[in-house]
Amino acid sequence: MSRHSGSRESSRLDGRLQALNDARELGEGVLPDEVLKDVVRVLERASSRRSLSADHTVVGFFGATGSGKSSLFNAVSGAEIATAAARRPTTSEPLAGVWGADGSEPLLDWLDVRTRHHAAAVDGFAGEDTGLILLDLPDFDSTREANRRVVQRMVGLVDVMVWVLDPQKYADAAVHNGFLAPLASHGAVTLVVLNQADRLPERDVAPVLASLQDILSRDGLGKVRVLATSAVTGAGIDELRADIRRVAVQRKAQSQRLAADITKATEELRAASGDGEAAGVRPATEDRLADELAVAANVPVVVRAVSRSYRLESLRRTGWPVTRWLARFRPDPLRRLNLRSDAPAELNRTSLPVAGASERARTDAAVRAFADAASAGAPGPWRAAIRSAAREGRERLPDALDQAIAGTDLGANRKSWWWGVFNVVQWLALLTVLGGLGWLGVLAGLGYFQMPVPEVPRVEGWPVPTLMIILGVVLGIFLALTGRFIAAGAAGARARRAHRRLRTAVASVAGKLIVEPVEVEVSRLAAFNTALRKAAG
């Protein structure tokens, strides 16, 4: 592999590993911990392996008891390495044959392979410049748990896996279901060997290979190369050596193995997550949420109180002065709701009725409907996360909505310009009535005491004092009635403004406690899917 192509491959792996880690972080709290831990192990392995020798390819020989794995290992190595190291506990420790010792020690330490053999060069196969490490591993079906743990660990660490099967147990479910099928994404770094082919009649070798190939296809490894070998006769040994040498010389096995690990981890994340994107927050559903919460938070009650309060205040300021004082005995609806308080908004609370069962049910239904609409199309775990985010905010809604209403400027303390005009004219009308009554009173007094009574001015035959009384009373009644009509229209306008402001306040609370957390989860799912696609390459 050229330096430039190696650099490009390394860059691609960097991007995929980063995307895989991003997906793992985004999936925390949503996906099962065991799946996320598997991803962490892949990332840690990738980091460790890439920090070690890139000039060595590690090839592990895996097989069941009686498969002739160690004999095949010796035949490929060109020496009785396994036999030469017979004093090692062969049933539990891996054995390494090394071509190219320089730089191999840290790699073997990481693999935890203590038994190492500096192998002699084999013409056409491996020498000091090859950078090849062959591992003879314990039987994967060993009765000893320690041996099986070694095999399981090595399956996750070596660069290339050579699975050694024998004619009697090549279809064993233990190897196919336990190892090969889960490694379907690792076909590029997997070789399958039907060993001890000399035990089969020559006419049966091809059918058995075909049967094995068919089983591997069902395992998802249909493109894996399958060889028939015999450590006794040497059949197939050269072909196996050639395949191993090719991967060692190309120096691609490490990156291919890491790429396969990333693909497998990505598939596991995808399986745990499921497919799909959330519909997300739509303006229509956000508006419906705000509308329902406004009703549940008694906004209509407050709006009606604003209207009645304005009418009452208008009556107090523009009604007939003789009777307007009676309005002061009527309580202000806004004051009863504690919505005329001068306390800071964060300390103020309303006196609105405490949310009952119906209001709570309405709030729950609104939040649930919003979360369901936003999570539509999302896979199961993410749909649950979106709904959970909405439920968490719902618990804080009642207090937050009450505070929002208490802190909303309802315009209750604003004066209308027409109040002053009507008030002045009303007092002028009353003074006119009083002036007329006074004038007539003076005239009546003079007549009573038999004093000269001056001539009263007349207009069209009507005495001016009488006209003053009539004009004042009529004007007062007219202003009172007109004021009620104006107050009704102005109260409606003020109520509509108050409704808009309260609706905005409720929408702000809903946005902070419900909409934003839901949007975060929706965005997290979108980012997760994007990261997963990038990790999948």
Short mmCIF file of all heavy atoms in Angstrom, two decimals, residues 86-112:
data_model
loop_
_atom_site.label_atom_id
_atom_site.label_comp_id
_atom_site.label_asym_id
_atom_site.label_seq_id
_atom_site.Cartn_x
_atom_site.Cartn_y
_atom_site.Cartn_z
N ALA A 86 6.96 -27.04 23.23
CA ALA A 86 6.02 -27.96 23.85
C ALA A 86 5.91 -27.76 25.35
O ALA A 86 4.94 -28.17 25.96
CB ALA A 86 6.44 -29.39 23.55
N ARG A 87 6.92 -27.13 25.97
CA ARG A 87 6.85 -26.94 27.41
C ARG A 87 5.87 -25.87 27.81
O ARG A 87 5.53 -25.71 28.96
CB ARG A 87 8.25 -26.59 27.94
CG ARG A 87 9.17 -27.78 27.94
CD ARG A 87 10.56 -27.37 28.36
NE ARG A 87 11.15 -26.44 27.38
CZ ARG A 87 12.35 -25.89 27.54
NH1 ARG A 87 13.08 -26.15 28.61
NH2 ARG A 87 12.83 -25.10 26.60
N ARG A 88 5.39 -25.07 26.84
CA ARG A 88 4.39 -24.05 27.18
C ARG A 88 3.06 -24.74 27.47
O ARG A 88 2.82 -25.85 26.98
CB ARG A 88 4.21 -23.07 26.02
CG ARG A 88 3.45 -23.67 24.82
CD ARG A 88 3.33 -22.70 23.69
NE ARG A 88 2.62 -23.31 22.57
CZ ARG A 88 1.36 -23.12 22.29
NH1 ARG A 88 0.64 -22.32 23.05
NH2 ARG A 88 0.81 -23.72 21.26
N PRO A 89 2.19 -24.11 28.26
CA PRO A 89 0.85 -24.66 28.49
C PRO A 89 -0.01 -24.44 27.24
O PRO A 89 -0.78 -23.49 27.16
CB PRO A 89 0.32 -23.87 29.68
CG PRO A 89 1.08 -22.58 29.63
CD PRO A 89 2.42 -22.90 29.05
N THR A 90 0.14 -25.33 26.27
CA THR A 90 -0.48 -25.13 24.96
C THR A 90 -1.99 -25.03 25.03
O THR A 90 -2.62 -24.53 24.10
CB THR A 90 -0.10 -26.28 24.01
OG1 THR A 90 -0.46 -27.52 24.62
CG2 THR A 90 1.39 -26.26 23.73
N THR A 91 -2.60 -25.53 26.08
CA THR A 91 -4.06 -25.52 26.15
C THR A 91 -4.61 -24.16 26.59
O THR A 91 -5.80 -23.95 26.52
CB THR A 91 -4.55 -26.58 27.15
OG1 THR A 91 -3.95 -26.34 28.43
CG2 THR A 91 -4.20 -27.96 26.66
N SER A 92 -3.73 -23.28 27.07
CA SER A 92 -4.27 -22.02 27.59
C SER A 92 -3.55 -20.78 27.11
O SER A 92 -4.09 -19.69 27.25
CB SER A 92 -4.26 -22.03 29.12
OG SER A 92 -2.92 -22.19 29.59
N GLU A 93 -2.36 -20.91 26.56
CA GLU A 93 -1.60 -19.73 26.16
C GLU A 93 -1.38 -19.71 24.65
O GLU A 93 -1.06 -20.74 24.05
CB GLU A 93 -0.25 -19.68 26.87
CG GLU A 93 -0.33 -19.30 28.32
CD GLU A 93 1.04 -19.00 28.89
OE1 GLU A 93 2.01 -18.88 28.11
OE2 GLU A 93 1.15 -18.91 30.12
N PRO A 94 -1.52 -18.53 24.05
CA PRO A 94 -1.22 -18.43 22.62
C PRO A 94 0.29 -18.46 22.38
O PRO A 94 1.08 -18.06 23.24
CB PRO A 94 -1.82 -17.07 22.24
CG PRO A 94 -1.85 -16.29 23.50
CD PRO A 94 -2.04 -17.28 24.62
N LEU A 95 0.65 -18.93 21.22
CA LEU A 95 2.05 -19.00 20.80
C LEU A 95 2.23 -18.14 19.56
O LEU A 95 1.38 -18.18 18.65
CB LEU A 95 2.44 -20.45 20.48
CG LEU A 95 3.73 -20.67 19.68
CD1 LEU A 95 4.93 -20.33 20.53
CD2 LEU A 95 3.79 -22.10 19.17
N ALA A 96 3.30 -17.36 19.53
CA ALA A 96 3.54 -16.46 18.39
C ALA A 96 4.75 -16.90 17.60
O ALA A 96 5.82 -17.18 18.17
CB ALA A 96 3.74 -15.03 18.89
N GLY A 97 4.59 -16.97 16.28
CA GLY A 97 5.71 -17.09 15.38
C GLY A 97 5.91 -15.74 14.72
O GLY A 97 4.97 -15.21 14.10
N VAL A 98 7.12 -15.16 14.84
CA VAL A 98 7.35 -13.77 14.44
C VAL A 98 8.38 -13.70 13.33
O VAL A 98 9.49 -14.24 13.46
CB VAL A 98 7.81 -12.92 15.64
CG1 VAL A 98 7.98 -11.46 15.23
CG2 VAL A 98 6.85 -13.06 16.81
N TRP A 99 8.01 -13.01 12.24
CA TRP A 99 8.95 -12.66 11.17
C TRP A 99 9.09 -11.14 11.16
O TRP A 99 8.15 -10.42 10.81
CB TRP A 99 8.43 -13.14 9.83
CG TRP A 99 8.50 -14.63 9.65
CD1 TRP A 99 9.50 -15.34 9.06
CD2 TRP A 99 7.51 -15.58 10.05
NE1 TRP A 99 9.23 -16.68 9.06
CE2 TRP A 99 7.99 -16.85 9.67
CE3 TRP A 99 6.27 -15.48 10.70
CZ2 TRP A 99 7.28 -18.01 9.93
CZ3 TRP A 99 5.57 -16.64 10.95
CH2 TRP A 99 6.07 -17.88 10.56
N GLY A 100 10.24 -10.66 11.54
CA GLY A 100 10.47 -9.22 11.67
C GLY A 100 10.29 -8.81 13.12
O GLY A 100 9.25 -8.25 13.51
N ALA A 101 11.30 -9.08 13.93
CA ALA A 101 11.17 -8.87 15.38
C ALA A 101 11.13 -7.40 15.75
O ALA A 101 10.50 -7.03 16.76
CB ALA A 101 12.33 -9.56 16.10
N ASP A 102 11.80 -6.55 14.97
CA ASP A 102 11.87 -5.13 15.33
C ASP A 102 10.47 -4.51 15.37
O ASP A 102 9.73 -4.55 14.37
CB ASP A 102 12.74 -4.36 14.32
CG ASP A 102 14.21 -4.74 14.43
OD1 ASP A 102 14.57 -5.35 15.46
OD2 ASP A 102 14.96 -4.45 13.48
N GLY A 103 10.13 -3.95 16.50
CA GLY A 103 8.83 -3.28 16.65
C GLY A 103 7.70 -4.19 17.04
O GLY A 103 6.56 -3.72 17.25
N SER A 104 7.97 -5.52 17.12
CA SER A 104 6.87 -6.44 17.42
C SER A 104 6.60 -6.58 18.92
O SER A 104 5.50 -6.98 19.31
CB SER A 104 7.19 -7.83 16.85
OG SER A 104 8.32 -8.39 17.51
N GLU A 105 7.59 -6.27 19.75
CA GLU A 105 7.45 -6.51 21.19
C GLU A 105 6.27 -5.75 21.82
O GLU A 105 5.45 -6.34 22.53
CB GLU A 105 8.76 -6.17 21.91
CG GLU A 105 9.94 -7.05 21.53
CD GLU A 105 9.68 -8.51 21.84
OE1 GLU A 105 9.12 -8.79 22.92
OE2 GLU A 105 10.03 -9.36 21.00
N PRO A 106 6.14 -4.42 21.60
CA PRO A 106 4.98 -3.71 22.20
C PRO A 106 3.64 -4.27 21.71
O PRO A 106 2.69 -4.35 22.48
CB PRO A 106 5.18 -2.26 21.74
CG PRO A 106 6.63 -2.14 21.46
CD PRO A 106 7.04 -3.48 20.91
N LEU A 107 3.60 -4.68 20.44
CA LEU A 107 2.37 -5.24 19.89
C LEU A 107 2.03 -6.56 20.57
O LEU A 107 0.88 -6.81 20.95
CB LEU A 107 2.52 -5.42 18.38
CG LEU A 107 1.33 -6.05 17.62
CD1 LEU A 107 0.06 -5.24 17.87
CD2 LEU A 107 1.65 -6.12 16.13
N LEU A 108 3.04 -7.41 20.77
CA LEU A 108 2.81 -8.69 21.43
C LEU A 108 2.47 -8.49 22.91
O LEU A 108 1.69 -9.26 23.48
CB LEU A 108 4.04 -9.59 21.27
CG LEU A 108 4.28 -10.11 19.85
CD1 LEU A 108 5.66 -10.73 19.72
CD2 LEU A 108 3.21 -11.15 19.48
N ASP A 109 3.07 -7.47 23.52
CA ASP A 109 2.70 -7.17 24.91
C ASP A 109 1.22 -6.78 25.00
O ASP A 109 0.51 -7.19 25.93
CB ASP A 109 3.56 -6.02 25.45
CG ASP A 109 5.01 -6.42 25.66
OD1 ASP A 109 5.27 -7.65 25.72
OD2 ASP A 109 5.87 -5.52 25.72
N TRP A 110 0.77 -5.97 24.05
CA TRP A 110 -0.64 -5.55 24.04
C TRP A 110 -1.56 -6.76 23.82
O TRP A 110 -2.63 -6.87 24.43
CB TRP A 110 -0.85 -4.52 22.93
CG TRP A 110 -2.27 -4.09 22.74
CD1 TRP A 110 -3.06 -3.41 23.61
CD2 TRP A 110 -3.08 -4.36 21.58
NE1 TRP A 110 -4.32 -3.21 23.07
CE2 TRP A 110 -4.36 -3.78 21.82
CE3 TRP A 110 -2.85 -4.99 20.35
CZ2 TRP A 110 -5.39 -3.83 20.89
CZ3 TRP A 110 -3.88 -5.05 19.42
CH2 TRP A 110 -5.14 -4.47 19.70
N LEU A 111 -1.09 -7.70 22.97
CA LEU A 111 -1.87 -8.92 22.72
C LEU A 111 -1.80 -9.88 23.90
O LEU A 111 -2.60 -10.82 23.98
CB LEU A 111 -1.35 -9.63 21.46
CG LEU A 111 -1.59 -8.91 20.13
CD1 LEU A 111 -0.77 -9.57 19.02
CD2 LEU A 111 -3.07 -8.92 19.77
N ASP A 112 -0.87 -9.61 24.80
CA ASP A 112 -0.64 -10.48 25.97
C ASP A 112 -0.22 -11.88 25.53
O ASP A 112 -0.68 -12.90 26.05
CB ASP A 112 -1.89 -10.56 26.85
CG ASP A 112 -1.57 -11.12 28.24
OD1 ASP A 112 -0.40 -11.04 28.65
OD2 ASP A 112 -2.50 -11.64 28.89
#
